[in-house]
Amino acid sequence: MQLKVTLTKVFIVCFLLLQSNLLAQRNFDDDQIESMKARVSEIVIENKKLSQVMVDKIFSFSELGFHENESSNYLTGILEKNGFKIERGLSGIPTAWIAKWSKGNGPVIALGSDVDCIPKASQYPGVAYHKPIVEGAPGHGEGHNAGIPLNITAALAVQQVMKENDLEGTLILWPGIAEELVASKAWFVRDGLFKGIDACIFTHVSSNMGVSWGASSGTGLISVEFTFEGDAAHAAGAPWRGKSAADATELMNIGWNYKREHLDPLKRSHSIISDGGDQPNVVPSKSSIWYYFRDITYEGIMEMFETSKDIAKGAALMTGTKMSYKILGTAWPRHFNKSIAETMHKNIEVVGLPDWSEKDQILAKAVQKELGNKSLDGLANELRPLGLPVERPVSGGSDDIGDVSWTIPTVTLRFPSNIPGLPGHHWSNAIAMATPIAHKGVTAGAQVE
Ligand SMILES: [Zn+2]
C-alpha cells in the first residue's frame, strides 16, 4: 500500500503524450516532469467529489441517443465555468458539442467518450436485483455516464498544471452522441472535427483497466432500416384490395434468416421490426425492419449490405410493395495507436486498480450471483497486460470510435467502473454505475489519462 501511494505520487501520468511533447520543447529534466505528473495526480484526487457528482448526475439523467439534452447542458456548463469555449449543435446534431481550452501553441489533444444510455435499463444503483427507478424507462445499462466525467476530471487537472508551469497546448473535449446507434462519430469525422488535432484519447467503461494497439477485437457495422409501402384496406371487409407492408417485412426477415446460415461466423446481424403496422383490422400500408450488419472488415460489411438490399427487393416483389432504405449509422472496425497505447499502459501499471472496499466486493458478488454467473469473483484485482493487435480476428460489438481511429492517432482507455461478467446493455450493468465502484474507477482512469 505504502509503495503504491508513493509510486502514485511520483509517477502518475496525465496526458503523457501531451506532456512529453511539451516538455521536450522546454527541456525539463526527468524530476521536473515527474513532479508535474504528481501534481496532476494530486489534483485528480482532490477533485474526487466533483467526479462523483458528475458520474451520479449523468446517471440520473439517463438520456437515450440524440436526447442527451440535460447531460450535455450540465457537462458543458462545468467546462464553461472552467474557461472552455463551447460550440454546440455540431454536425447538425442538437445535443453534440465541442469544448476547447487553449494556452498558446503546442499539441492539440482531444478527449472523447460516450454519454447516451440503453432503452428499458432503468435501475436503482447499489441494489443487487432488478429494481427499475422508473418501470420501462431508459437507464445507464452500459455505463456511458462515467466516461465524460472522467475526461473532465483529467482535463481540469492538466489545465491547472499547464497554468502553473506555463505549458502550451490545447485541450478539446467531445461527446460520442448516440453511440448506441453508432450515429455521430462518422459525421464528426466527415465534417472535419478532428482536423488539426494531434491525438485522441477515448475512454470507455469496463470492469478492468486496459488499453490496446493495432487491430482490435470486435466489428464495424452498418445500421440500416428498410421500409416497405403497400396499400391499406379493411382487413376483413376487402383484404384483396390491400398490399401488406408488414408481409414484406416478415418475408425480408425470413429471407435474411436463411442467409444467416451461410454467413462467416465472424459476421453478426440482428434486427428489430421498428414498424409492424398499426392494428390487425387495417392491412398495414407501411412497415419497417431495422438491421445492424457487422463484420471485421469494411468489405464484409458492404457485402452483407448488398445482399440485404437484394432480399428486400425480393420481399417487395412478392408483396407488390415499394421498398426504400435509410442508413442510420455506421462504424469502421477499430485500429489503435501503438505509441500512445504503450505509454498509457505504463501509466496503468503505475496507477493500478482501485482499492475496492469489502462493501464494493459484496455488491459485485451479489450481482454476479443474481445473474447466475458461474464465477463469483467480485471486482477485478489483477490488471491485464497491454492489448496487442488481434492475431485471429474476434467478432463482437462495434464502436464508431473506429472512424476516429483511422483519422488521427487514437486509443481507448478502458477504466474499471463496472462489475465483471455481466451481459452488457442490461439493467444489471447499471447497478454499479452510481456507486463507489464507478467513482473509484473514474478517479483511477483520470489519473492514467
Ligand atoms: Zn459503449
Side-chain angles (χ1 to χ4, degrees), residues 12-15 40-41 43-45 47-59 71 74-75 78-79 84 97 109-115 143-159 171-175 200-211 344 347-348 351-354 356 411-418 433 436-449:
I12 285 177
V13 178
C14 202
F15 301 114
V40 166
S41 169
I43 301 165
V44 166
I45 292 167
N47 280 339
K48 238 170 27 182
K49 178 73 187 169
L50 173 68
S51 310
Q52 175 248 305
V53 173
M54 288 191 286
V55 167
D56 294 355
K57 275 265 190 193
I58 305 302
F59 185 93
S71 306
Y74 171 72
L75 294 165
I78 291 171
L79 287 162
F84 282 75
W97 48 270
I109 307 294
L111 307 180
S113 198
D114 306 319
V115 69
H144 284 177
N145 59 308
I148 298 182
L150 185 159
N151 288 346
I152 293 180
T153 306
L156 296 183
V158 169
Q159 180 192 40
L171 297 170
I172 286 176
L173 281 88
W174 61 277
C200 175
I201 299 176
F202 193 70
T203 54
H204 197 283
V205 65
S206 175
S207 55
N208 204 319
M209 188 122 76
V211 66
M344 182 174 271
N347 306 350
I348 289 172
V351 173
L353 288 162
W356 307 118
V411 295
T412 292
L413 166 66
R414 298 183 303 276
F415 59 94
S417 280
N418 217 331
M433 289 313 304
I437 297 172
H439 308 143
K440 289 174 191 176
V442 163
T443 297
Q447 288 173 299
V448 168
E449 189 175 30

Side-chain angles (χ1 to χ4, degrees), residues 112-190:
S113 198
D114 306 319
V115 69
D116 58 330
C117 76
I118 300 283
K120 297 188 179 67
S122 175
Q123 170 67 29
Y124 273 96
V127 173
Y129 59 92
H130 191 201
K131 189 182 182 200
I133 299 172
V134 178
E135 188 70 49
H140 272 291
E142 159 85 357
H144 284 177
N145 59 308
I148 298 182
L150 185 159
N151 288 346
I152 293 180
T153 306
L156 296 183
V158 169
Q159 180 192 40
Q160 172 107 18
V161 169
M162 286 170 73
K163 284 180 187 167
E164 287 171 2
N165 295 279
D166 198 23
L167 301 175
E168 296 192 354
T170 297
L171 297 170
I172 286 176
L173 281 88
W174 61 277
I177 292 299
E179 190 279 331
E180 299 301 344
L181 307 170
V182 281
S184 70
K185 296 183 190 104
W187 291 101
F188 295 162
V189 169
R190 280 195 290 265

Side-chain angles (χ1 to χ4, degrees), residues 181-434:
L181 307 170
V182 281
S184 70
K185 296 183 190 104
W187 291 101
F188 295 162
V189 169
R190 280 195 290 265
D191 291 343
L193 173 70
F194 296 97
K195 274 194 188 129
I197 295 178
D198 294 309
C200 175
I201 299 176
F202 193 70
T203 54
H204 197 283
V205 65
S206 175
S207 55
N208 204 319
M209 188 122 76
V211 66
S212 67
W213 63 271
S216 118
S217 62
T219 56
L221 69 74
I222 187 163
S223 155
V224 54
E225 185 176 50
F226 291 89
T227 295
F228 299 94
E229 281 177 83
D231 271 325
H234 193 303
W240 48 87
R241 296 187 64 174
K243 287 177 182 161
S244 171
D247 287 354
T249 286
E250 283 192 63
L251 287 165
M252 170 156 198
N253 197 18
I254 290 166
W256 182 259
N257 283 337
Y258 273 97
K259 173 70 188 171
R260 192 193 296 270
E261 183 193 345
H262 306 288
L263 293 179
D264 184 296
L266 291 168
K267 290 185 166 69
R268 297 269 158 90
S269 74
H270 9 265
S271 61
I272 62 151
I273 294 173
S274 44
D275 179 357
D278 299 306
Q279 58 189 58
N281 64 338
V282 181
V283 172
S285 60
K286 205 170 169 214
S287 177
S288 302
I289 183 163
W290 177 14
Y291 287 92
Y292 279 14
F293 296 118
R294 306 192 199 235
D295 196 12
I296 55 160
T297 64
Y298 168 80
E299 291 75 21
I301 298 163
M302 293 310 284
E303 194 188 301
M304 290 168 92
F305 179 39
E306 290 306 317
T307 307
S308 73
K309 282 193 273 185
D310 286 341
I311 291 173
K313 278 181 212 159
L317 275 174
M318 284 186 274
T319 50
T321 56
K322 265 192 236 148
M323 182 276 284
S324 61
Y325 63 84
K326 197 173 182 184
I327 294 171
L328 300 177
T330 56
W332 276 77
R334 290 155 282 183
H335 192 100
F336 294 123
N337 182 273
K338 185 178 179 185
S339 42
I340 309 179
E342 285 176 344
T343 305
M344 182 174 271
H345 195 259
K346 283 182 200 146
N347 306 350
I348 289 172
E349 283 180 332
V350 171
V351 173
L353 288 162
D355 291 319
W356 307 118
S357 71
E358 207 192 325
K359 283 181 182 167
D360 299 334
Q361 291 289 10
I362 289 170
L363 175 65
K365 287 175 190 173
V367 175
Q368 289 168 337
K369 192 172 175 207
E370 178 70 8
L371 270 285
N373 288 13
K374 276 188 194 132
S375 60
L376 308 178
D377 296 340
L379 297 161
N381 276 322
E382 217 175 294
L383 287 171
R384 293 190 198 121
L386 172 66
L388 302 175
V390 287
E391 270 177 32
R392 280 168 168 239
V394 181
S395 193
S398 321
D399 188 321
D400 46 1
I401 192 62
D403 294 59
V404 181
S405 74
W406 288 100
T407 307
I408 53 169
T410 299
V411 295
T412 292
L413 166 66
R414 298 183 303 276
F415 59 94
S417 280
N418 217 331
I419 298 165
L422 304 183
H425 292 179
H426 189 254
W427 53 265
S428 61
N429 290 71
I431 291 173
M433 289 313 304

